[in-house]
């Protein structure tokens, strides 16, 4: 196994250990005779230099990944994102987003900067940082709720830290489903809810990309003053279509990605996703 695959395997193990649905879905697909190809792997972070997007990208750059040269901006969620691709097209793309902390309230900034101040320096280029989890003292449940009110993304980061947010199955690599809707039926049949924000399928063939995702798997999580079960990581599915140049579209769609971010939301009526 080459160094890229080795890193990806470490990332998968960390992700699947926390997100039990990923392993179940993976296995169920394999039992149908599918061989799973990853489309992309996604990370979240804060745009503070010590832990910003370039710090998370560095281990991938060292293994031959390059910035794809596209920047995405999510104004309402105060996020920006970029993605990285490897010269070997079979390697998954790496999608990294970051919260624009300076655009958030003074109170959120204070909390987040307090967390990042606790991160040991010199993490850049270290692949282990990508699975380092929470390198700060746990927030209280109340502090978490305060973050959640303003930015679900910031609250997720505070609770789960540095680890994969989601893996994505490359639908085109599957052989036994006629379309993404059929895969969605299969996933729901396993008992997992899908993110229905903006419809279960985001995008369409005219924009060369269709995506769906589960709602994040609930994870018992430590807070300074108690333990609570909150939405953790989710699994995504992406079907790509040939763009005008005849080659499969490789980018992302801001409108769809905006809705996919909501896969870690608490479900309003019933609490955390089941
Ligand atoms: Ni994604």
């Amino acid at each position: 196994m080459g160094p890229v695959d080795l890193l990806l395997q470490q990332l998968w193990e960390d992700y699947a250990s926390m997100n039990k649905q990923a392993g179940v879905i993976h296995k169920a697909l394999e039992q149908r005779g599918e061989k799973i190809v990853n489309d992309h792997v996604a990370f979240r972070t804060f745009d503070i230099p010590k832990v910003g997007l370039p710090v998370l990208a560095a281990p991938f750059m060292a293994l031959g990944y390059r910035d794809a040269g596209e920047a995405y901006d999510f104004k309402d969620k105060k996020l920006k994102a970029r993605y990285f691709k490897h010269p070997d097209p079979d390697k998954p793309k790496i999608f990294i987003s970051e919260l624009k902390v300076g655009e958030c309230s003074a109170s959120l900034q204070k909390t987040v900067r307090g967390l990042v101040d606790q991160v040991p320096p010199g993490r850049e280029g270290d692949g282990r940082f990508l699975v380092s989890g929470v390198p700060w003292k746990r927030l209280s449940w109340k502090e978490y709720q305060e973050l959640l009110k303003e930015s679900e993304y910031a609250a997720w980061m505070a609770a789960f830290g540095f680890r994969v947010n989601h893996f994505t199955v490359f639908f085109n690599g599957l052989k036994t489903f006629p379309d993404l809707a059929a895969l969605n039926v299969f996933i729901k049949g396993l008992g997992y809810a899908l993110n229905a924000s903006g419809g279960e399928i985001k995008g369409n063939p005219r924009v060369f990309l269709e995506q769906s995702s589960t709602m994040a798997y609930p994870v018992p999580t430590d807070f300074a003053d108690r333990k609570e079960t909150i939405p953790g990581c989710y699994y995504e599915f992406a079907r790509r279509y040939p763009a005008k140049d005849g080659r499969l579209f490789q980018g992302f769609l801001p409108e769809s990605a905006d809705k996919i971010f909501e896969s870690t939301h608490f479900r309003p009526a019933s609490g955390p996703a089941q």
Side-chain angles (χ1 to χ4, degrees):
M1 192 181 280
V4 174
D5 292 329
L6 197 61
L7 175 59
L8 290 167
Q9 184 176 321
Q10 288 163 351
L11 296 174
W12 170 263
E13 281 168 10
D14 177 63
Y15 162 79
S17 72
M18 200 177 82
N19 179 17
K20 301 295 181 207
Q21 64 173 208
V24 173
I25 292 169
H26 200 107
K27 206 167 155 196
L29 288 172
E30 282 181 344
Q31 281 167 351
R32 275 174 75 101
E34 298 287 10
K35 190 170 171 296
I36 293 159
V37 178
N38 292 314
D39 179 81
H40 66 273
V41 181
F43 293 88
R44 295 178 171 186
T45 191
F46 300 117
D47 74 343
I48 297 173
K50 192 158 75 168
V51 299
L53 191 158
V55 176
L56 271 65
F60 295 102
M61 303 290 270
L63 294 174
Y65 274 86
R66 291 294 170 257
D67 191 325
E70 284 180 46
Y72 305 99
D73 200 24
F74 305 93
K75 287 206 166 43
D76 290 350
K77 292 185 172 68
K78 302 189 170 76
L79 304 174
K80 57 185 177 181
R82 308 185 69 86
Y83 80 96
F84 298 81
K85 53 186 180 184
H86 195 272
D88 175 354
D90 292 338
K91 302 282 185 252
K93 293 171 277 296
I94 305 297
F95 183 91
I96 308 175
S97 59
E98 56 182 2
L99 180 68
K100 295 182 277 185
V101 177
E103 293 184 10
C104 299
S105 71
S107 141
L108 182 144
Q109 290 193 41
K110 184 164 178 279
T111 304
V112 166
R113 291 186 197 286
L115 297 177
V116 173
D117 281 349
Q118 299 171 57
V119 178
R123 302 289 104 169
E124 187 142 1
D126 185 347
R128 286 171 300 182
F129 184 55
L130 302 170
V131 292
S132 61
V134 177
W136 41 67
K137 273 189 0 211
R138 299 285 181 169
L139 294 181
S140 69
W141 180 243
K142 186 164 174 278
E143 289 168 321
Y144 170 80
Q145 292 292 328
E146 283 300 313
L147 283 186
L148 195 58
K149 258 189 258 168
E150 179 172 345
S151 166
E152 184 279 334
Y153 184 104
W156 189 93
M157 274 303 298
F160 298 110
F162 303 98
R163 62 187 341 140
V164 169
N165 174 262
H166 62 272
F167 270 76
T168 306
V169 174
F170 181 46
F171 175 88
N172 306 51
L174 302 176
K175 309 263 185 286
T176 64
F177 297 95
D179 50 30
L180 194 56
L183 176 61
N184 286 346
V185 168
F186 178 76
I187 301 299
K188 286 186 283 188
L190 296 172
Y192 299 121
L194 294 179
N195 173 351
S197 176
E200 283 182 357
I201 296 179
K202 285 86 171 143
N204 59 63
R206 292 183 302 284
V207 290
F208 316 122
L209 176 60
E210 291 177 321
Q211 288 163 284
S212 61
S213 64
T214 63
M215 288 303 288
Y217 193 76
V219 181
T221 302
D222 287 323
F223 291 88
D225 52 346
R226 66 172 86 172
K227 197 167 203 157
E228 289 281 349
T229 297
I230 62 171
C233 301
Y234 57 92
Y235 212 0
E236 188 187 318
F237 314 95
R239 181 177 189 179
R240 295 183 179 276
Y241 293 86
K244 297 203 170 68
D245 63 3
R247 294 191 302 188
L248 281 191
F249 174 70
Q250 290 300 316
F252 295 87
L253 306 172
E255 199 180 310
S256 300
D258 189 76
K259 301 287 186 238
I260 295 271
F261 278 120
E262 297 174 12
S263 305
T264 49
H265 281 196
F266 282 87
R267 288 195 293 174
S270 56
Q274 293 303 307

